[in-house]
Amino acid sequence: MDVEDAGMTPTTAPVTIRTDRLVLRTYRPGDHQDLLTFYGRSDVCRYLFNEPWSPDDAREAVQTRMSRRDLTAGAVALVVEYEGRVVGSVSAWLVDESGDAVDTERTAEVGWAFSPDFGGRGFATEAVTALIDLVFATPRLRRAVAQMDARNESSARLARRIGLRREAHFRQNAWIKNEWTDTVVFATLRSEWPTSL
C-alpha cells in the first residue's frame, strides 16, 4: 500500500486504503450489522477481551470507532471489505511508552479481527500489512506491537507471516473472562518494515 496512492498525506488518517483486493475504510453507521456477523460469534471472541457482541454492543462499538480516524490524534479504526462485503476490522492506537517526552517517537499497538467465513484467502495478511504501512507512514511512529492471548495461534501465525518478531511471553498476566491468561507480544520497528526502508 502506498500512502499517496491511498489519497492521503502521511500526516492524516485514511478515509480509504486500497490494496490489491481489499478496501480498508473508516467506520460508517450501518456497519454494525456486518460486524455483528463475526463479532457476535463465540469462536471469534474466544481470545478477545469482549464477549460476543449483541446488536446493541455492535451499534455502540461502531459509534465509538467512527471517531477513530487519525492515528496522530490517538487511534484509527478501519473496516476491511472484499468485493463490497465486510470481512474484518483492523485498528491501531498510540501507546505511551515514553512518559512525558512529547517529542519522542511513539509506539502504536495494532489489533485485528476477521470473519472465519473468509479465512484462508490471505485477507488478514493483506489488511494487517496495509495497517502497519499506515502506522509507519505516520510521523514519529517508531514501533508497532501486537499483543494477543498466547492461545490464539491463528493471530500468532499472522503476526509471524507479516514479519513481526515475537518479543515476549508473559505468563498468567491478564485476568480475562474469569481466568488467568498468558499474553504474547510481537513487534517490528520502522527500520525493519519493508515499506519504510
Side-chain angles (χ1 to χ4, degrees):
M1 188 268 319
D2 185 329
V3 173
E4 297 303 326
D5 288 345
M8 61 186 196
T9 65
T11 60
T12 61
V15 172
T16 303
I17 295 173
R18 295 186 189 282
T19 66
D20 289 341
R21 300 176 296 165
L22 305 174
V23 174
L24 286 72
R25 61 162 177 81
T26 51
Y27 279 70
R28 297 189 294 237
D31 287 334
H32 67 281
Q33 295 170 339
D34 291 328
L35 293 165
L36 187 59
T37 64
F38 60 95
Y39 274 112
R41 294 174 53 160
S42 59
D43 58 333
V44 171
C45 294
R46 179 175 181 201
Y47 301 123
L48 301 179
F49 288 113
N50 56 276
E51 295 292 343
W53 286 358
S54 69
D56 287 341
D57 294 331
R59 279 189 285 278
E60 183 177 325
V62 167
Q63 187 65 35
T64 299
R65 293 176 184 191
M66 284 185 346
S67 65
R68 296 178 181 161
R69 304 174 64 92
D70 185 352
L71 186 54
T72 60
V76 63
L78 304 169
V79 169
V80 180
E81 291 182 338
Y82 171 69
E83 295 182 346
R85 296 184 66 188
V86 174
V87 299
S89 69
V90 296
S91 300
W93 57 97
L94 296 178
V95 178
D96 187 8
E97 294 181 333
S98 58
D100 295 329
V102 176
D103 292 333
T104 302
E105 290 183 324
R106 304 288 303 269
T107 296
E109 185 169 341
V110 297
W112 55 79
F114 289 87
S115 171
D117 295 341
F118 295 91
R121 301 187 204 180
F123 295 153
T125 299
E126 194 170 321
V128 177
T129 298
L131 177 68
I132 297 177
D133 287 347
L134 170 66
V135 166
F136 290 133
T138 305
R140 307 201 62 77
L141 264 289
R142 169 187 55 87
R143 177 174 151 82
V145 301
Q147 298 188 60
M148 62 201 67
D149 188 307
R151 299 169 297 178
N152 191 343
E153 294 175 12
S154 62
S155 278
R157 281 193 305 273
L158 171 60
R160 285 189 293 272
R161 191 166 49 249
I162 65 172
L164 301 183
R165 178 185 57 256
R166 184 172 142 173
E167 291 190 336
H169 183 139
F170 298 103
R171 296 184 60 219
Q172 295 188 4
N173 69 316
W175 180 256
I176 301 171
K177 297 180 181 169
N178 298 316
E179 64 179 322
W180 286 107
T181 63
D182 290 8
T183 300
V184 290
V185 179
F186 290 85
T188 190
L189 301 173
R190 178 190 299 270
S191 60
E192 300 171 331
W193 192 248
T195 59
S196 298
L197 302 177

